[in-house]
Every structure is written in structure tokens, then in C-alpha cells.
Amino acid sequence: MQTENNMPNYWLMKSEPDAFSIDDLAQQGPSPWDGVRNYQARNFMQNMQMGDLIFFYHSSCKPAGIAGVAKVAREAYPDHTSWDPTSHYYDPKSSPDHPRWFMVDIELVEKWSNVLPLSTLKQDPELSDMLLIKKGNRLSVMPIKPNEWQRINTHLKPNNKPR
DNA sequence: GCCAACGTTGGC
DNA sequence: GCCAACGTTGGC
């Protein structure tokens, strides 16, 4: 669904690389982002449109930070793991008739040469408003403002030149 | 492994 | 509708 204009929206999605890393995404191709069980994160995913761009963030590892870029390959649809009793993500209040949880598919755009650490993002005064940096933020899916997207890509993204 | 911060649950 | 208790997130 494309609405007012053709500009992509920008997002950030967190994953623990032990569970699902940017290399896993590269290997698997378009992959479902299942298991989100937070309403705010779900609502953000339901606002995603085909082609929207995503910072793929590695959390709970060192260094935690942005590992590369992905894009939305399928818009929101019901997360079937929510009604699978054998799934770790099972929610008895969700059913095929009344799905409570949704997911999108995402696809790798580029893996960066190095992870851009959270500590670097925190040092940049132009990024001080980022949700990611706010104290206590625990969202696993969040919007990124266009100026933040540009700033990170033009000034902070690790270069890919061989040494 | 610690623990601050947060979201959710459920008794009242 | 309040809020204490609980479970989870995620940087450090």
C-alpha cells in the first residue's frame, strides 16, 4: 500500500544476533519478523510499507549497534506463531480468526563492514533525540526520522573500503 | 550477572 | 481505574 508519496519510511529493528543475525538474514533471503509481542512495536510494523528501509540492530551483544540495512519485503500479516501452542511466542488470546499479533517480512539491503556501535550514536549531538538513545527505551521496533537516517548514513556508517 | 526501566497483569 | 507485583529488556 503506497499512500501520499513515494518516499520510504525509516525504521530500526532489534535482534539478538544469537537468535537471528544479519548474516542469518543474508543467508535466508526474505524472512518473517515473528515473535513481536509488544503493542507499540506491533503498531509500528502495521504502518510499514513495501520498500521502507530498516536499520538492522544487534542487541544484547558487544558491540551492540547497527549492523546494516534491510527493507520491507512484505507488509504486515498475522503472526502464526501466536496461535501455535508449541511456539515460544504462543499467546492463547490470539487465534487465526482473531489474530492479535502481526509480522512483516524483511530482506537484506546491505551488511555494513562493521557494526556501528551504540556508543558512537550516543556521542553524536545530532542524534540526541533518537528513540534508541532515550534512557530506558525497550522498543524492539521504532521509527527513525529522515534526518537521523541521513545523518547516520552519510557521517557514521562504517566505510566498506578494503584495507 | 546485575539491575534500572519499562510493560503487563490482575486483585481490589 | 488504581497500583503492586511480576516478568522482560538490554546496556553495562
Side-chain angles (χ1 to χ4, degrees):
Chain A
M1 175 181 73
Q2 203 65 262
T3 51
E4 298 86 19
N5 56 55
N6 293 321
M7 296 296 291
N9 299 306
Y10 302 110
W11 310 94
L12 180 144
M13 300 174 95
K14 295 178 183 173
S15 182
E16 299 190 14
D18 286 349
F20 187 73
S21 71
I22 195 162
D23 290 326
D24 295 329
L25 180 64
Q27 273 190 357
Q28 295 180 23
S31 304
W33 199 265
D34 59 6
V36 170
R37 297 293 179 268
N38 170 282
Y39 290 104
Q40 224 182 331
R42 180 202 68 184
N43 295 344
F44 285 136
M45 285 200 297
Q46 290 182 302
N47 287 331
M48 290 183 181
Q49 300 180 358
M50 284 294 291
D52 280 2
L53 294 170
I54 301 158
F55 285 136
F56 192 104
Y57 183 93
H58 280 178
S59 65
S60 295
C61 60
K62 63 174 188 178
I66 300 172
V69 173
K71 66 180 178 186
V72 175
R74 182 178 171 184
E75 294 178 3
Y77 60 106
D79 181 345
H80 57 83
T81 66
S82 67
W83 57 75
D84 173 3
T86 68
S87 170
H88 177 66
Y89 301 118
Y90 177 58
D91 177 355
K93 292 173 181 166
S94 186
S95 68
D97 285 345
H98 296 95
R100 170 173 293 207
W101 302 111
F102 289 76
M103 58 190 178
V104 296
D105 289 355
I106 75 167
E107 184 177 5
L108 183 68
V109 173
E110 62 175 9
K111 178 189 173 182
W112 290 353
S113 59
N114 295 292
V115 169
L116 169 56
L118 176 62
S119 57
T120 302
L121 298 172
K122 284 181 171 172
Q123 285 164 14
D124 189 333
E126 297 200 24
L127 299 178
S128 56
D129 285 338
M130 276 187 84
L131 275 178
L132 180 70
I133 290 173
K134 304 273 178 176
K135 189 169 77 166
N137 170 55
R138 287 167 37 186
L139 268 183
S140 62
V141 178
M142 69 185 79
I144 298 288
K145 299 188 190 80
N147 65 303
E148 296 164 348
W149 182 270
Q150 297 302 332
R151 174 73 182 170
I152 290 168
N153 274 287
T154 59
H155 292 270
L156 300 180
K157 172 183 158 181
N159 74 54
N160 288 297
K161 289 177 188 154
R163 288 186 278 180

